[in-house]
Amino acid sequence: MKKSIWVGTRGSRLAIAQTEIALAALRRAHPGVRFEVVTISTKGDVDKRPLFTMDEKGIFEKEVNEAVKKGEADFAVHSLKDIPSDLSEELVVACIPKRASPNDVLVNDKGQKLKELAPGSVIGTSSLRRAVQLTKYRPDLNVMPIRGNVETRVKKVISGEYGAVVLAEAGLTRIGMKDVIVERFSIRDFVPAPGQGAIAIVCRRDDKALIRMLGQIEDSRSRAEVLAERALIKKVEGGCRFPLGAVAVTNGDKITLYASVFSADGSRNIKVKKVGKASEPEKLGDKVAGMLVKQGAMEMAEGWRRAVDEWNRKL
């Protein structure tokens, strides 16, 4: 293994924090290796439109992974949920370190939980999945699109532009802002995005030595969970324009997968829970996907296309 390794990542505070988490583990395992971080701007960093208006995949990872493919970086560190299920065949998710909390949380500066917010309060989210779940529980709130990095969204609450925002707990914790969390939502009641809380390390598929090195900080339970979730979204074709909540939880040799899909108006909710073998996570993901499809999940897609158009008119 060479003595200096180049690591590609986005330049956001969260991306850098996630990269440092991965590198801290790698440095402990390989104290003689020097890691050099190179930051790369992505379309998702530059384009400030709400995420669900961008009808394309990989807006936060494509440019970084291209640098890996070209040899400009040896590996890349990503939020797993940013990686499309159809990753380039030249690349592989070589390592999933130990996953952080997958939960969503509520942030506001008045200490109010979701049920305590005043009717008409403006709640910001970049996620259709979060938006429809918020509307289900509090139809009297005004759920609006929000963009910007994690700290920018929090500042928009403090400034009074938004009454509250919903964010991923893992992101806030990783950048040292967990003190702004007012409420932590249950994964059963407020189902997270597939892969939320997990970090993925991507490298070239033909770099066997690097794959072995990265594998030394792999967490097998986290890998099993995200494999189940990603097998599900690959079959159901979830994405920013078709919100799907899914989270897997391992317990010994068993793994439980929870999945949830809403109609665009929130009136219909398909929920599935199924237990499988932790050694066969992708088989479980396929089964749950089939159950969702059989119950009409794909028929909801047209309603979501209309909903996206309506949200676009708000911008």
Side-chain angles (χ1 to χ4, degrees), residues 68 74-75 90-92 94 201-205 210-211 214:
V68 174
D74 294 295
F75 67 84
E90 296 176 57
L91 303 174
V92 63
I201 303 180
V202 172
C203 72
R204 290 180 294 280
R205 188 178 294 274
L210 184 56
I211 291 172
L214 295 172

Side-chain angles (χ1 to χ4, degrees), residues 106-114 117 157-158 162-165 180-182:
L106 183 74
V107 172
N108 68 64
D109 61 343
K110 297 182 177 63
Q112 297 172 318
K113 295 184 177 180
L114 182 60
L117 294 171
V157 173
I158 296 172
Y162 289 81
V165 293
V180 302
I181 296 172
V182 172

Side-chain angles (χ1 to χ4, degrees), residues 10 42-51 53-54 59-60 145-149 152 156 315:
R10 294 167 54 209
T42 69
K43 181 172 183 178
D45 298 312
V46 176
D47 194 327
K48 298 305 181 184
R49 291 177 296 164
L51 301 181
T53 67
M54 303 182 202
I59 62 169
F60 287 117
I146 188 171
R147 276 300 309 270
N149 56 34
T152 297
K156 289 182 178 182
L315 304 178

Side-chain angles (χ1 to χ4, degrees), residues 131-200:
V132 73
Q133 293 187 96
L134 284 168
T135 302
K136 176 189 175 185
Y137 292 113
R138 284 293 307 271
D140 57 335
L141 298 178
N142 186 12
V143 181
M144 294 293 292
I146 188 171
R147 276 300 309 270
N149 56 34
V150 172
E151 53 268 41
T152 297
R153 297 182 204 184
V154 173
K155 287 177 182 177
K156 289 182 178 182
V157 173
I158 296 172
S159 70
E161 186 176 346
Y162 289 81
V165 293
V166 176
L167 297 165
E169 181 178 20
L172 286 164
T173 301
R174 285 168 177 157
I175 64 172
M177 294 183 69
K178 65 179 181 180
D179 57 318
V180 302
I181 296 172
V182 172
E183 182 176 9
R184 185 178 193 245
F185 298 127
S186 161
I187 60 172
R188 297 290 303 276
D189 298 330
F190 209 96
V191 186
Q196 187 159 297
I199 293 172

Side-chain angles (χ1 to χ4, degrees), residues 15-310:
I16 294 297
Q18 292 181 157
T19 300
E20 287 304 320
I21 289 170
L23 293 184
L26 285 168
R27 288 179 180 121
R28 287 192 296 270
H30 303 278
V33 177
R34 181 179 178 183
F35 297 93
E36 301 282 356
V37 177
V38 54
T39 58
I40 300 166
S41 180
T42 69
K43 181 172 183 178
D45 298 312
V46 176
D47 194 327
K48 298 305 181 184
R49 291 177 296 164
L51 301 181
F52 54 80
T53 67
M54 303 182 202
D55 193 15
E56 58 185 286
K57 299 177 181 179
I59 62 169
F60 287 117
E61 57 79 42
K62 185 175 181 180
E63 289 85 354
V64 184
N65 282 347
E66 282 298 316
V68 174
K69 288 165 67 174
K70 294 175 182 176
E72 297 166 0
D74 294 295
F75 67 84
V77 180
H78 300 287
S79 292
L80 182 74
K81 66 179 182 179
D82 290 338
I83 300 177
S85 56
D86 55 348
L87 182 67
S88 167
E89 291 188 1
E90 296 176 57
L91 303 174
V92 63
V93 178
C95 175
I96 306 290
K98 185 173 177 57
R99 188 180 197 173
S101 162
N103 300 64
D104 284 316
V105 295
L106 183 74
V107 172
N108 68 64
D109 61 343
K110 297 182 177 63
Q112 297 172 318
K113 295 184 177 180
L114 182 60
K115 66 181 181 181
E116 298 168 339
L117 294 171
S121 295
V122 178
I123 311 301
T125 177
S126 63
S127 159
L128 284 175
R129 173 189 57 81
R130 290 172 179 154
V132 73
Q133 293 187 96
L134 284 168
T135 302
K136 176 189 175 185
Y137 292 113
R138 284 293 307 271
D140 57 335
L141 298 178
N142 186 12
V143 181
M144 294 293 292
I146 188 171
R147 276 300 309 270
N149 56 34
V150 172
E151 53 268 41
T152 297
R153 297 182 204 184
V154 173
K155 287 177 182 177
K156 289 182 178 182
V157 173
I158 296 172
S159 70
E161 186 176 346
Y162 289 81
V165 293
V166 176
L167 297 165
E169 181 178 20
L172 286 164
T173 301
R174 285 168 177 157
I175 64 172
M177 294 183 69
K178 65 179 181 180
D179 57 318
V180 302
I181 296 172
V182 172
E183 182 176 9
R184 185 178 193 245
F185 298 127
S186 161
I187 60 172
R188 297 290 303 276
D189 298 330
F190 209 96
V191 186
Q196 187 159 297
I199 293 172
I201 303 180
V202 172
C203 72
R204 290 180 294 280
R205 188 178 294 274
D206 60 3
D207 195 339
K208 304 302 182 184
L210 184 56
I211 291 172
R212 287 193 297 272
M213 173 185 166
L214 295 172
Q216 292 182 31
I217 64 167
E218 169 94 341
D219 183 77
S220 58
R221 290 183 57 182
S222 300
R223 168 75 71 166
E225 291 169 358
V226 300
L227 282 176
E229 294 162 19
R230 286 173 69 79
L232 167 61
I233 60 173
K234 186 172 184 178
K235 189 168 183 178
V236 180
E237 298 180 348
C240 292
R241 295 173 68 90
F242 182 35
L244 166 68
V247 62
V249 180
T250 54
N251 184 10
D253 62 352
K254 300 293 183 183
I255 183 169
T256 304
L257 180 57
Y258 304 92
S260 180
V261 179
F262 287 89
S263 61
D265 61 3
S267 64
R268 188 179 176 211
N269 179 202
I270 304 172
K271 300 184 81 169
V272 172
K273 171 190 173 184
K274 190 167 182 62
V275 180
K277 297 179 181 179
S279 60
E280 299 178 337
E282 291 170 299
K283 183 180 291 187
L284 176 62
D286 285 342
K287 287 181 179 178
V288 172
M291 294 166 72
L292 289 174
V293 170
K294 188 174 181 179
Q295 294 181 55
M298 301 310 294
E299 284 71 25
M300 294 179 178
E302 181 56 38
W304 275 109
R305 281 191 285 272
R306 292 193 297 268
V308 168
D309 290 340
E310 183 176 341

